Amino acid sequence: MEGLNSMIKKANRDRLIRDFKAVNNVSSNLEITHLLYADDSLVFCDAKEEQVRHLRLILSVFEAVSQLHVNWRVLGCQVRNLPTTYLWMPLRAKNRSQELWNEVLERCEKKLAIWKGNYLSLGWRITLVNSVLDVLPTYMMSLFPIPVKVEIRVDALRRKFIWQGKKEKKAYNLWLWRFSLEDQALWRKVICEKYGADGRWCTAGASRPYGVSVWKSIRNLWPGFISNVRNKVGNDNKTSFWNDDWIGNGPLKEVFPYLFTIVQQPQTTVAEVWSMQGWNVTFRRFLNDWEVTRVIEFYKLLDGFKGITEEEDMLIWKETTEEYIL
């Protein structure tokens, strides 16, 4: 490219190609003849046939010497007015105009078409969103500040593509997942205060005929959500011994319903009845001979428990062939 640079400068010194002043000031001598950008070259000259002929001659010599191919199709010599675009960048556009972002938004919408999301998993949808929105708007933002309205629309495109279509209920599952994790979040405290708690992992059912319906819709998905997760026992006393599925076979009150009717502590947690010496499960009365067999099966199932860990209690997904959102 150094050879092309030298030839254009020589043509400018001989006044075969005219440059332009960078500043419209008589005292300024800064003049620009060309800009070289990656595999593109931008040459400035007057809209006169003889100057274009000299430019074509320079490019022909450069092509022959360097063995590089010149795309002659772009040398159409069309006369246009500003503002225009170069390398997808608007030239002489209003700095804060929202209109100059229209093409970027249209390209984003085209690449994030709804029908594409129906054939992609969540991971691939996130990857596509990041690749599109990290490249197109960021490229424009290198020169132009993004207006607030455009930023809001870009965020809307992101949300719509990720959570659109037949997978919309999985977005609600994400809120159920967050509810189980974010104990100290303000939004969780407000919802618990409004609807009441149903154990340590979700609120009570939202059955009142008035109020905002968003959490009602989310809460209605709890039965399907909880059937696809199980509890991982940690050290913060959240997992219910009888009501939560922490063994992996289902809640113990469903696996051993008869024992649950005679247990002394039906609402106890795993951490409260487990110690290094073993399990401390007590019943309201002495066991009959025929009940001992069930108790033996009960303790055999508990033998698979590896003990309290240093992690917090949490919900984890069961192994399944279906796709669920984490």
Side-chain angles (χ1 to χ4, degrees):
M1 300 302 292
E2 184 61 32
L4 179 62
N5 178 54
S6 299
M7 286 189 289
I8 294 177
K9 286 184 175 180
K10 177 66 166 58
N12 176 249
R13 288 194 299 269
D14 295 341
R15 311 312 292 171
L16 300 176
I17 294 178
R18 301 292 299 272
D19 50 27
F20 79 97
K21 286 190 174 183
V23 180
N24 190 17
N25 192 327
V26 178
S27 60
S28 175
N29 295 321
L30 180 61
E31 299 177 342
I32 299 176
T33 56
H34 59 286
L35 298 173
L36 304 180
Y37 177 80
D39 57 348
D40 289 287
S41 300
L42 185 62
V43 182
F44 301 97
C45 65
D46 294 335
K48 295 182 179 180
E49 182 177 352
E50 61 271 18
Q51 293 193 33
V52 175
R53 288 182 181 275
H54 285 298
L55 177 59
R56 185 180 181 103
L57 178 60
I58 292 173
L59 294 176
S60 298
V61 174
F62 175 75
E63 183 179 40
V65 173
S66 65
Q67 298 299 311
L68 296 176
H69 177 68
V70 176
N71 185 3
W72 295 108
R73 289 178 299 176
V74 302
L75 200 62
C77 301
Q78 297 179 356
V79 179
R80 295 182 178 179
N81 298 321
L82 295 175
T84 185
T85 59
Y86 174 68
L87 296 178
W88 297 103
M89 278 291 187
L91 301 179
R92 204 175 178 179
K94 294 182 179 179
N95 191 39
R96 297 184 179 275
S97 173
Q98 187 173 337
E99 295 180 357
L100 63 87
W101 288 86
N102 289 342
E103 186 172 358
V104 174
L105 293 173
E106 290 175 1
R107 295 176 66 194
C108 289
E109 290 175 347
K110 183 177 180 180
K111 290 182 178 295
L112 299 180
I114 295 297
W115 66 267
K116 295 181 181 180
N118 291 329
Y119 297 95
L120 297 175
S121 66
L122 174 67
W124 281 110
R125 293 201 303 275
I126 293 176
T127 300
L128 181 59
V129 165
N130 289 338
S131 64
V132 171
L133 298 185
D134 282 351
V135 173
L136 299 181
T138 304
Y139 181 58
M140 282 286 291
M141 289 167 61
S142 62
L143 286 182
F144 302 98
I146 183 171
V148 175
K149 291 184 178 180
V150 174
E151 184 178 359
I152 293 174
R153 188 172 173 186
V154 169
D155 287 338
L157 284 175
R158 179 187 293 108
R159 291 193 304 270
K160 183 178 180 181
F161 185 76
I162 292 179
W163 304 122
Q164 50 78 32
K166 60 187 178 182
K167 301 179 178 64
E168 60 185 1
K169 289 186 177 180
K170 298 181 181 179
Y172 285 170
N173 284 350
L174 178 63
W175 282 104
L176 293 172
W177 182 268
R178 290 184 59 185
F179 185 92
S180 69
L181 294 178
E182 301 177 13
D183 290 342
Q184 304 303 318
L186 179 60
W187 69 270
R188 187 186 191 277
K189 294 179 180 179
V190 172
I191 290 176
C192 285
E193 189 69 23
K194 181 175 181 179
Y195 295 102
D198 182 14
R200 295 172 172 83
W201 304 104
C202 195
T203 67
S207 58
R208 289 176 293 182
Y210 55 88
V212 181
S213 62
V214 175
W215 185 254
K216 295 179 183 179
S217 301
I218 295 174
R219 178 58 178 81
N220 289 339
L221 296 176
W222 175 253
F225 173 81
I226 196 62
S227 65
N228 289 286
V229 298
R230 66 181 182 86
N231 298 75
K232 182 179 180 181
V233 180
N235 63 354
D236 58 352
N237 214 28
K238 287 177 60 177
T239 302
S240 173
F241 182 83
W242 289 98
N243 299 306
D244 292 331
D245 180 13
W246 56 277
I247 288 292
N249 299 60
L252 289 177
K253 70 176 183 180
E254 298 177 5
V255 180
F256 300 97
Y258 182 78
L259 295 181
F260 180 67
T261 62
I262 62 174
V263 72
Q264 191 171 13
Q265 300 168 310
Q267 302 302 324
T268 189
T269 65
V270 176
E272 289 172 342
V273 298
W274 184 88
S275 67
M276 296 299 295
Q277 288 73 37
W279 296 101
N280 184 26
V281 180
T282 58
F283 299 94
R284 291 186 285 105
R285 60 172 176 80
F286 292 109
L287 299 174
N288 296 315
D289 293 341
W290 59 270
E291 295 172 329
V292 174
T293 303
R294 295 294 293 159
V295 174
I296 293 175
E297 295 176 357
F298 172 71
Y299 280 109
K300 282 185 177 180
L301 182 61
L302 297 182
D303 283 341
F305 182 65
K306 298 180 180 180
I308 301 294
T309 67
E310 294 300 321
E311 300 176 345
E312 296 182 352
D313 291 15
M314 65 180 66
L315 297 179
I316 60 175
W317 294 109
K318 294 179 180 178
E319 294 183 2
T320 175
T321 57
E322 295 185 34
E323 179 190 11
Y324 291 94
I325 293 176
L326 290 171

